Coordinates of all heavy atoms in Angstrom, one line a residue:
Q187 N 34.7 117.6 22.2 CA 35.0 116.4 21.4 C 36.5 116.3 21.2 O 37.2 115.3 21.1 CB 34.4 116.4 20.1 CG 32.9 116.2 20.2 CD 32.4 114.8 20.7 OE1 33.2 113.9 20.9 NE2 31.3 114.7 21.3
K188 N 37.2 117.6 21.0 CA 38.6 117.7 20.6 C 39.5 117.0 21.7 O 40.6 116.5 21.5 CB 39.0 119.1 20.4 CG 40.4 119.4 20.0 CD 40.6 120.9 19.8 CE 42.0 121.1 19.3 NZ 42.4 122.5 19.1
Y189 N 39.1 117.1 23.0 CA 39.9 116.6 24.0 C 39.2 115.4 24.8 O 39.5 115.2 26.0 CB 40.4 117.8 25.0 CG 41.0 118.9 24.5 CD1 40.5 120.2 24.0 CD2 42.5 118.6 24.2 CE1 41.2 121.1 23.5 CE2 43.2 119.6 23.5 CZ 42.5 120.9 23.2 OH 43.2 121.8 22.6
Q190 N 38.4 114.8 24.1 CA 37.7 113.7 24.8 C 38.7 112.7 25.3 O 38.3 112.1 26.4 CB 36.7 113.2 23.7 CG 35.7 112.0 24.3 CD 34.9 112.6 25.4 OE1 34.2 113.7 25.1 NE2 34.7 112.0 26.5
H191 N 39.6 112.3 24.6 CA 40.6 111.3 25.1 C 41.2 111.6 26.4 O 41.4 110.9 27.3 CB 41.7 110.9 24.0 CG 42.6 109.9 24.3 ND1 42.2 108.6 24.6 CD2 43.9 110.0 24.7 CE1 43.4 107.8 24.9 NE2 44.4 108.8 25.1
L192 N 41.7 113.0 26.5 CA 42.2 113.5 27.6 C 41.3 113.3 28.9 O 41.6 112.9 30.0 CB 42.6 115.0 27.5 CG 43.4 115.6 28.7 CD1 44.6 114.8 29.2 CD2 43.6 117.1 28.4
L193 N 40.1 113.7 28.6 CA 38.9 113.7 29.7 C 38.8 112.2 30.1 O 38.8 111.9 31.2 CB 37.7 114.2 29.1 CG 36.4 114.1 30.0 CD1 36.7 114.8 31.3 CD2 35.2 114.7 29.4
N194 N 38.7 111.2 29.1 CA 38.5 109.9 29.5 C 39.7 109.3 30.4 O 39.4 108.6 31.2 CB 38.4 109.1 28.2 CG 37.1 109.3 27.4 OD1 36.2 109.9 28.0 ND2 37.1 109.0 26.1
V195 N 40.9 109.8 29.9 CA 42.1 109.2 30.7 C 42.0 109.8 32.0 O 42.4 109.1 33.1 CB 43.4 109.5 30.0 CG1 44.6 109.4 30.9 CG2 43.5 108.8 28.7
A196 N 41.7 111.2 32.2 CA 41.7 111.8 33.6 C 40.6 111.0 34.5 O 40.9 110.8 35.6 CB 41.5 113.2 33.4
L197 N 39.4 110.8 33.9 CA 38.4 110.2 34.6 C 38.7 108.8 35.0 O 38.4 108.3 36.3 CB 37.0 110.3 33.9 CG 36.4 111.7 33.7 CD1 35.2 111.6 32.9 CD2 36.1 112.3 35.0
K198 N 39.3 108.1 34.1 CA 39.7 106.7 34.5 C 40.8 106.7 35.6 O 40.6 105.9 36.5 CB 40.3 106.1 33.2 CG 40.8 104.6 33.4 CD 41.2 104.1 32.1 CE 41.5 102.4 32.2 NZ 43.0 102.3 32.8
T199 N 41.7 107.5 35.5 CA 42.8 107.7 36.6 C 42.1 107.9 37.9 O 42.5 107.3 39.0 CB 43.7 108.6 36.1 OG1 44.4 108.3 34.9 CG2 44.9 108.8 37.2
L200 N 41.3 108.9 37.9 CA 40.6 109.4 39.2 C 39.8 108.1 39.7 O 39.7 108.0 41.0 CB 39.7 110.5 39.1 CG 40.4 111.9 38.9 CD1 39.3 113.0 38.5 CD2 41.1 112.2 40.3
R201 N 39.1 107.4 38.9 CA 38.3 106.3 39.4 C 39.2 105.1 39.9 O 38.9 104.5 40.9 CB 37.5 105.7 38.3 CG 36.1 106.5 38.0 CD 35.2 105.8 37.1 NE 35.7 105.5 35.7 CZ 35.6 106.3 34.7 NH1 35.0 107.4 34.8 NH2 36.1 106.0 33.5
E202 N 40.4 105.0 39.3 CA 41.4 103.9 39.9 C 41.9 104.4 41.2 O 42.1 103.7 42.1 CB 42.4 103.8 38.8 CG 41.9 103.0 37.6 CD 43.1 102.9 36.7 OE1 44.3 103.3 36.9 OE2 42.8 102.4 35.5
V203 N 42.2 105.7 41.3 CA 42.9 106.2 42.6 C 41.9 106.4 43.7 O 42.0 106.0 44.8 CB 43.4 107.5 42.3 CG1 44.1 108.3 43.6 CG2 44.7 107.4 41.4
D204 N 40.6 106.9 43.4 CA 39.6 107.2 44.5 C 38.3 106.9 43.8 O 37.6 107.8 43.3 CB 39.7 108.7 44.9 CG 38.9 109.0 46.0 OD1 38.0 108.3 46.4 OD2 39.3 110.1 46.6
P205 N 37.8 105.7 43.9 CA 36.5 105.3 43.2 C 35.3 106.1 43.6 O 34.4 106.2 42.8 CB 36.4 103.9 43.5 CG 37.7 103.4 43.9 CD 38.3 104.6 44.5
T206 N 35.3 106.7 44.8 CA 34.2 107.4 45.3 C 34.2 109.0 45.2 O 33.4 109.6 45.6 CB 33.9 107.1 46.7 OG1 35.0 107.5 47.5 CG2 33.7 105.6 47.0
F207 N 35.3 109.3 44.5 CA 35.5 110.9 44.4 C 34.5 111.4 43.5 O 34.4 111.0 42.3 CB 36.9 111.1 43.8 CG 37.3 112.7 43.8 CD1 37.5 113.2 45.0 CD2 37.3 113.2 42.6 CE1 37.7 114.7 44.9 CE2 37.6 114.5 42.5 CZ 37.9 115.4 43.7
P208 N 33.7 112.4 43.8 CA 32.7 113.0 43.0 C 33.3 114.1 42.1 O 33.2 115.3 42.4 CB 31.7 113.6 44.0 CG 32.6 114.0 45.1 CD 33.8 112.9 45.3
C209 N 33.8 113.7 40.9 CA 34.5 114.6 40.0 C 33.3 115.3 39.3 O 32.5 114.8 38.7 CB 35.4 114.0 39.1 SG 36.1 115.0 38.0
T210 N 33.4 116.7 39.5 CA 32.4 117.5 38.7 C 33.1 118.4 37.7 O 32.4 119.1 36.8 CB 31.6 118.3 39.7 OG1 32.6 119.2 40.4 CG2 30.9 117.5 40.7
A211 N 34.4 118.6 37.6 CA 35.1 119.4 36.7 C 36.5 118.9 36.5 O 37.2 118.4 37.5 CB 35.0 120.9 37.2
I212 N 37.1 119.3 35.3 CA 38.6 119.1 35.2 C 39.2 120.3 34.6 O 38.5 120.8 33.6 CB 38.8 117.8 34.2 CG1 38.4 116.5 35.0 CG2 40.3 117.7 33.9 CD1 38.5 115.3 34.2
A213 N 40.3 120.7 35.1 CA 41.0 121.8 34.5 C 42.2 121.4 33.9 O 42.9 120.8 34.7 CB 41.1 123.0 35.5
V214 N 42.6 121.9 32.8 CA 44.0 121.5 32.3 C 44.6 123.0 32.0 O 44.1 123.8 31.3 CB 43.8 120.8 30.9 CG1 45.3 120.5 30.3 CG2 43.2 119.5 31.1
T215 N 45.8 123.1 32.6 CA 46.5 124.3 32.3 C 47.9 124.2 31.9 O 48.5 123.0 31.9 CB 46.6 125.2 33.6 OG1 47.4 124.5 34.6 CG2 45.2 125.3 34.2
Y216 N 48.6 125.2 31.5 CA 50.0 125.1 30.9 C 50.8 126.3 31.6 O 50.4 127.3 31.5 CB 50.0 125.1 29.4 CG 51.4 125.2 28.9 CD1 52.2 123.9 28.9 CD2 51.9 126.2 28.3 CE1 53.4 123.8 28.3 CE2 53.2 126.2 27.7 CZ 53.9 125.2 27.7 OH 55.1 124.9 27.3
N217 N 52.1 125.9 32.2 CA 52.8 126.9 32.8 C 52.0 127.8 33.7 O 52.0 129.1 33.8 CB 53.4 127.8 31.9 CG 54.7 127.1 31.1 OD1 55.1 126.1 31.7 ND2 55.1 127.6 30.1
F218 N 51.2 127.3 34.7 CA 50.3 127.8 35.6 C 51.0 128.5 36.7 O 51.8 127.9 37.3 CB 49.2 126.9 36.0 CG 48.2 127.5 36.9 CD1 47.1 128.3 36.4 CD2 48.2 127.2 38.3 CE1 46.2 128.8 37.3 CE2 47.3 127.8 39.2 CZ 46.3 128.6 38.6
T219 N 50.6 129.8 37.0 CA 51.3 130.3 38.2 C 49.9 130.8 39.0 O 49.1 131.6 38.4 CB 52.0 131.5 38.0 OG1 51.3 132.5 37.1 CG2 53.3 131.0 37.3
G220 N 49.7 130.2 40.2 CA 48.6 130.6 40.9 C 48.8 131.4 42.2 O 49.7 131.0 42.9
S221 N 48.4 132.5 42.3 CA 48.6 133.3 43.5 C 47.7 132.8 44.6 O 46.7 132.1 44.5 CB 48.4 134.9 43.1 OG 47.0 135.0 42.7
P222 N 47.9 133.2 45.9 CA 47.1 132.6 47.0 C 45.6 132.9 46.6 O 45.3 134.2 46.3 CB 47.6 133.4 48.2 CG 49.0 133.8 47.8 CD 49.0 134.0 46.3
H223 N 44.8 131.9 46.8 CA 43.3 132.0 46.6 C 42.6 131.1 47.3 O 43.2 130.0 47.7 CB 42.9 132.1 45.2 CG 43.3 130.8 44.4 ND1 44.5 130.4 44.1 CD2 42.4 129.9 44.2 CE1 44.5 129.3 43.6 NE2 43.2 128.8 43.5
I224 N 41.3 131.1 47.4 CA 40.4 130.2 47.9 C 39.5 129.7 46.7 O 38.8 130.7 46.1 CB 39.6 130.6 49.1 CG1 40.7 130.8 50.2 CG2 38.7 129.6 49.5 CD1 40.0 131.4 51.6
D225 N 39.1 128.5 46.6 CA 38.3 128.1 45.5 C 36.8 128.1 46.2 O 36.4 127.3 46.9 CB 38.5 126.7 45.0 CG 39.9 126.5 44.3 OD1 40.3 127.7 43.7 OD2 40.5 125.4 44.4
T226 N 36.2 129.3 46.0 CA 34.9 129.5 46.6 C 33.8 128.5 46.2 O 32.8 128.4 47.0 CB 34.4 130.9 46.6 OG1 34.3 131.3 45.2 CG2 35.4 131.9 47.1
L227 N 33.9 128.1 45.0 CA 32.8 127.2 44.6 C 33.1 125.6 44.8 O 32.2 124.8 44.6 CB 32.5 127.2 43.0 CG 32.2 128.7 42.6 CD1 32.1 128.7 41.1 CD2 30.9 129.0 43.2
N228 N 34.2 125.3 45.4 CA 34.6 124.0 45.8 C 33.7 123.5 47.0 O 33.5 124.3 47.9 CB 36.0 123.7 46.1 CG 36.9 123.7 45.0 OD1 36.6 124.2 44.0 ND2 38.1 123.1 45.1
V229 N 33.2 122.3 46.9 CA 32.6 121.7 48.2 C 33.3 120.8 48.8 O 33.0 120.0 49.8 CB 31.2 121.1 47.7 CG1 30.2 122.2 47.2 CG2 31.4 120.1 46.8
G230 N 34.6 120.4 48.3 CA 35.5 119.4 48.9 C 36.9 119.6 48.3 O 37.0 120.5 47.5
P231 N 37.7 118.7 48.5 CA 39.0 118.6 47.9 C 39.0 118.4 46.5 O 38.1 118.1 45.8 CB 39.7 117.4 48.7 CG 38.8 116.8 49.6 CD 37.5 117.5 49.4
F232 N 40.2 118.7 45.8 CA 40.5 118.3 44.5 C 41.8 117.6 44.3 O 42.6 117.6 45.3 CB 40.5 119.6 43.6 CG 41.7 120.6 43.8 CD1 42.8 120.5 43.2 CD2 41.5 121.5 44.7 CE1 43.9 121.3 43.4 CE2 42.5 122.5 45.0 CZ 43.7 122.4 44.4
Y233 N 41.9 117.0 43.2 CA 43.3 116.4 42.8 C 44.0 117.2 41.9 O 43.5 117.9 40.9 CB 43.0 114.9 42.2 CG 42.7 114.0 43.2 CD1 41.4 113.6 43.5 CD2 43.7 113.3 43.9 CE1 41.1 112.6 44.4 CE2 43.4 112.3 44.9 CZ 42.2 112.0 45.1 OH 41.8 110.9 46.0
G234 N 45.4 117.4 42.1 CA 46.2 118.1 41.1 C 47.2 117.1 40.7 O 47.7 116.3 41.3
L235 N 47.7 117.3 39.5 CA 48.7 116.6 38.8 C 49.5 117.6 37.9 O 48.9 118.2 37.2 CB 48.2 115.5 38.0 CG 49.1 114.8 37.0 CD1 50.2 113.8 37.7 CD2 48.4 113.9 36.0
S236 N 50.8 117.6 38.1 CA 51.7 118.4 37.1 C 52.6 117.5 36.4 O 53.2 116.5 37.0 CB 52.2 119.5 37.8 OG 53.1 119.0 39.0
V237 N 52.9 117.8 35.2 CA 53.8 117.0 34.4 C 54.7 118.0 33.6 O 54.3 119.1 33.3 CB 53.2 116.1 33.4 CG1 52.4 115.1 34.2 CG2 52.3 116.8 32.4
G238 N 56.0 117.6 33.4 CA 56.9 118.5 32.7 C 58.2 118.4 33.2 O 58.5 117.9 34.2
D239 N 59.1 119.1 32.7 CA 60.6 119.4 33.0 C 60.8 120.6 33.8 O 61.0 121.6 33.3 CB 61.4 119.2 31.8 CG 62.9 119.1 32.1 OD1 63.4 118.8 33.4 OD2 63.8 119.5 31.3
F240 N 60.5 120.5 35.1 CA 60.7 121.8 35.9 C 61.0 121.3 37.3 O 61.0 120.2 37.7 CB 59.2 122.5 36.0 CG 58.1 121.7 36.6 CD1 57.8 121.9 38.0 CD2 57.3 120.9 35.8 CE1 56.9 121.0 38.5 CE2 56.3 120.1 36.4 CZ 56.1 120.2 37.8
E241 N 61.4 122.5 38.1 CA 61.7 122.2 39.5 C 60.9 123.2 40.3 O 60.6 124.4 39.8 CB 63.2 122.5 39.8 CG 64.1 121.4 39.1 CD 65.5 121.7 39.6 OE1 65.8 122.4 40.4 OE2 66.5 121.2 38.8
G242 N 60.4 122.7 41.5 CA 59.5 123.6 42.2 C 58.1 123.5 41.9 O 57.7 122.4 41.4
G243 N 57.3 124.5 42.0 CA 55.9 124.4 41.5 C 55.0 123.5 42.4 O 54.0 122.9 41.9
N244 N 55.4 123.4 43.6 CA 54.4 122.6 44.5 C 53.1 123.4 44.8 O 53.1 124.6 44.6 CB 55.0 122.4 46.0 CG 56.2 121.5 45.8 OD1 56.3 120.5 45.0 ND2 57.3 121.5 46.7
I245 N 52.1 122.7 45.1 CA 50.9 123.6 45.7 C 51.1 123.6 47.1 O 51.2 122.7 47.9 CB 49.7 122.6 45.3 CG1 49.5 122.4 43.8 CG2 48.4 123.4 45.9 CD1 48.3 121.7 43.4
A246 N 51.1 124.9 47.6 CA 51.2 125.3 49.0 C 49.9 125.5 49.5 O 48.9 126.1 48.9 CB 52.0 126.4 49.2
V247 N 49.4 124.9 50.7 CA 48.2 125.0 51.3 C 48.3 125.5 52.7 O 49.1 124.9 53.5 CB 47.3 123.6 51.4 CG1 45.9 123.8 51.9 CG2 47.5 123.1 49.9
E248 N 47.7 126.5 53.0 CA 47.7 127.2 54.3 C 46.7 126.5 55.3 O 45.5 126.6 55.2 CB 47.3 128.7 54.2 CG 47.5 129.4 55.5 CD 47.2 130.9 55.4 OE1 47.8 131.6 54.6 OE2 46.1 131.3 56.0
C249 N 47.4 125.5 56.0 CA 46.5 124.7 56.9 C 46.0 125.4 58.1 O 45.0 125.0 58.7 CB 47.3 123.5 57.4 SG 47.9 122.4 56.0
S250 N 46.9 126.3 58.6 CA 46.5 127.2 59.8 C 47.2 128.6 59.7 O 48.0 128.8 58.7 CB 46.7 126.6 61.0 OG 48.2 126.5 61.3
A251 N 47.1 129.3 60.6 CA 47.8 130.6 60.6 C 49.4 130.5 60.6 O 50.1 131.3 60.2 CB 47.4 131.6 61.9
T252 N 49.8 129.3 61.0 CA 51.3 129.0 61.3 C 51.9 127.9 60.4 O 52.9 127.6 60.4 CB 51.6 129.0 62.8 OG1 50.9 127.7 63.2 CG2 51.4 130.1 63.5
V253 N 50.9 127.2 59.7 CA 51.4 125.9 59.1 C 51.0 126.0 57.6 O 49.8 126.3 57.2 CB 50.7 124.8 59.8 CG1 51.0 123.4 58.9 CG2 51.1 124.5 61.1
V254 N 52.0 125.8 56.7 CA 51.8 125.7 55.2 C 52.3 124.4 54.8 O 53.4 124.1 55.0 CB 52.4 126.9 54.5 CG1 52.3 126.7 53.0 CG2 51.9 128.2 55.0
A255 N 51.4 123.6 54.2 CA 51.8 122.2 53.7 C 52.2 122.5 52.2 O 51.6 123.3 51.6 CB 50.7 121.3 53.8
H256 N 53.3 121.7 51.7 CA 53.5 121.8 50.5 C 53.5 120.5 49.8 O 53.9 119.5 50.3 CB 55.1 122.2 50.3 CG 55.3 123.6 50.7 ND1 55.5 124.6 49.6 CD2 55.5 124.2 51.9 CE1 55.7 125.7 50.4 NE2 55.7 125.5 51.6
V257 N 52.5 120.3 48.8 CA 52.2 119.2 48.1 C 52.8 119.1 46.9 O 52.6 119.9 45.9 CB 50.5 119.2 47.9 CG1 50.1 117.8 47.3 CG2 50.0 119.3 49.3
D258 N 53.7 118.1 46.6 CA 54.4 117.8 45.4 C 53.4 117.1 44.4 O 53.0 115.8 44.7 CB 55.7 117.0 45.6 CG 56.4 116.7 44.4 OD1 56.1 117.2 43.2 OD2 57.5 116.0 44.5
T259 N 53.1 117.6 43.3 CA 52.1 117.0 42.4 C 53.0 116.7 41.0 O 52.3 116.3 40.0 CB 51.0 118.0 42.0 OG1 51.4 119.1 41.4 CG2 50.1 118.2 43.2
Q260 N 54.3 116.8 41.1 CA 55.0 116.6 39.8 C 54.9 115.1 39.6 O 55.5 114.3 40.3 CB 56.3 117.0 39.8 CG 57.1 116.9 38.5 CD 58.4 117.6 38.6 OE1 59.1 117.7 39.6 NE2 58.9 117.8 37.2
N261 N 54.3 114.7 38.4 CA 54.2 113.1 38.0 C 53.3 112.4 39.0 O 53.6 111.2 39.0 CB 55.5 112.6 37.8 CG 56.2 113.3 36.4 OD1 55.6 113.6 35.5 ND2 57.4 113.6 36.7
R262 N 52.6 113.0 39.8 CA 51.8 112.3 40.8 C 50.5 113.1 41.2 O 50.5 114.2 41.1 CB 52.7 111.9 42.1 CG 52.9 113.1 42.9 CD 53.8 112.9 44.0 NE 55.2 113.0 43.4 CZ 56.3 112.7 44.1 NH1 56.3 112.3 45.4 NH2 57.4 112.7 43.5
L263 N 49.5 112.3 41.6 CA 48.4 113.0 42.1 C 48.4 113.4 43.5 O 49.0 112.8 44.3 CB 47.1 112.2 42.0 CG 46.5 111.9 40.6 CD1 45.4 110.8 40.7 CD2 45.9 113.1 40.0
G264 N 48.1 114.7 43.8 CA 48.1 115.2 45.3 C 46.5 115.7 45.5 O 46.0 116.3 44.6
K265 N 46.1 115.3 46.6 CA 44.8 115.8 47.1 C 44.8 117.1 48.0 O 45.6 117.1 48.9 CB 44.1 114.6 47.8 CG 42.5 114.9 48.0 CD 42.0 113.5 48.5 CE 40.5 113.5 48.5 NZ 39.8 112.3 49.0
I266 N 44.1 118.0 47.4 CA 44.2 119.4 48.1 C 42.7 119.9 48.4 O 42.0 119.7 47.6 CB 45.0 120.4 47.3 CG1 46.4 119.9 47.0 CG2 45.0 121.8 47.8 CD1 46.6 119.3 45.6
D267 N 42.7 120.5 49.6 CA 41.4 121.1 49.8 C 41.4 122.6 49.5 O 42.0 123.4 50.2 CB 41.0 120.9 51.4 CG 39.6 121.3 51.6 OD1 39.1 122.1 50.9 OD2 39.0 120.7 52.6
G268 N 40.9 122.8 48.5 CA 40.9 124.3 47.8 C 40.0 125.2 48.6 O 40.0 126.4 48.3
R269 N 39.4 124.9 49.7 CA 38.7 125.7 50.5 C 39.5 126.3 51.6 O 39.0 127.3 52.2 CB 37.5 125.0 51.3 CG 36.4 124.5 50.3 CD 35.5 123.5 51.0 NE 36.3 122.3 51.4 CZ 35.6 121.3 52.0 NH1 34.3 121.3 52.3 NH2 36.4 120.3 52.5
F270 N 40.6 126.0 51.5 CA 41.9 126.7 52.2 C 42.7 127.5 51.4 O 42.8 127.1 50.1 CB 42.7 125.7 53.1 CG 42.0 125.0 54.2 CD1 41.2 123.7 54.0 CD2 42.0 125.5 55.4 CE1 40.6 123.1 54.9 CE2 41.3 124.8 56.5 CZ 40.5 123.6 56.3
P271 N 43.3 128.5 51.8 CA 44.2 129.3 50.9 C 45.3 128.4 50.3 O 46.0 127.6 51.1 CB 44.7 130.4 51.8 CG 43.8 130.6 52.9 CD 43.3 129.1 53.1
H272 N 45.4 128.5 49.0 CA 46.5 127.8 48.4 C 46.9 128.5 47.1 O 46.4 129.3 46.6 CB 45.9 126.4 48.0 CG 44.8 126.3 47.0 ND1 43.5 126.6 47.4 CD2 44.8 126.2 45.8 CE1 42.8 126.8 46.3 NE2 43.4 126.4 45.3
W273 N 48.2 128.1 46.8 CA 48.8 128.7 45.6 C 50.0 127.7 45.1 O 50.3 126.8 45.7 CB 49.5 130.0 46.0 CG 50.5 129.9 47.0 CD1 51.8 129.9 46.9 CD2 50.2 129.9 48.5 NE1 52.5 129.7 48.1 CE2 51.5 129.8 49.2 CE3 49.1 129.9 49.3 CZ2 51.6 129.7 50.5 CZ3 49.2 129.9 50.6 CH2 50.3 129.7 51.3
V274 N 50.4 128.1 43.9 CA 51.6 127.4 43.3 C 52.8 128.0 43.7 O 53.0 129.4 43.5 CB 51.4 127.3 41.7 CG1 52.7 126.6 41.1 CG2 50.3 126.6 41.4
T275 N 53.8 127.3 44.3 CA 55.1 128.1 44.6 C 55.9 128.1 43.3 O 55.7 127.6 42.3 CB 55.9 127.1 45.5 OG1 56.3 125.8 44.9 CG2 55.2 126.7 46.8
P276 N 56.9 129.0 43.4 CA 57.7 129.5 42.1 C 58.3 128.2 41.6 O 58.7 127.3 42.4 CB 58.7 130.4 42.7 CG 58.1 131.1 43.9 CD 57.3 129.9 44.5
Y277 N 58.5 128.2 40.3 CA 59.2 127.0 39.7 C 60.0 127.6 38.4 O 59.7 128.8 37.9 CB 58.2 126.0 39.1 CG 57.1 126.5 38.1 CD1 57.5 126.4 36.8 CD2 55.9 127.0 38.5 CE1 56.4 126.8 35.9 CE2 55.0 127.6 37.7 CZ 55.3 127.5 36.3 OH 54.5 127.9 35.4
T278 N 61.0 126.6 38.0 CA 61.6 126.9 36.8 C 61.5 125.9 35.8 O 61.3 124.6 36.3 CB 63.1 127.1 37.1 OG1 63.6 125.9 37.7 CG2 63.5 128.3 38.0
G279 N 61.5 126.1 34.6 CA 61.3 125.1 33.6 C 59.8 125.2 33.0 O 59.1 126.1 33.3
T280 N 59.5 124.0 32.3 CA 58.2 124.0 31.8 C 57.5 122.7 31.9 O 58.1 121.8 32.2 CB 58.0 124.4 30.3 OG1 58.9 123.5 29.5 CG2 58.4 125.9 30.0

């Protein structure tokens, strides 16, 4: 109940951006640093959004053995497939 408004805004935003996206969970973090990992419970992509006064902090996704994509989620939604190795790149600020 404490964060119900945040949940409502997040779900409304997702419905506006991708009406058929099957949202099953929402994670809210602060100053998150993610080392390379695979989301083993994901059955599909996820959306990421970061806000704040910082530089860097993209989500890097290993698309293949030689290709890493960098998804900028600062003040925008980015769709990432967590079933591929991914991590948060270094950043400064908060």
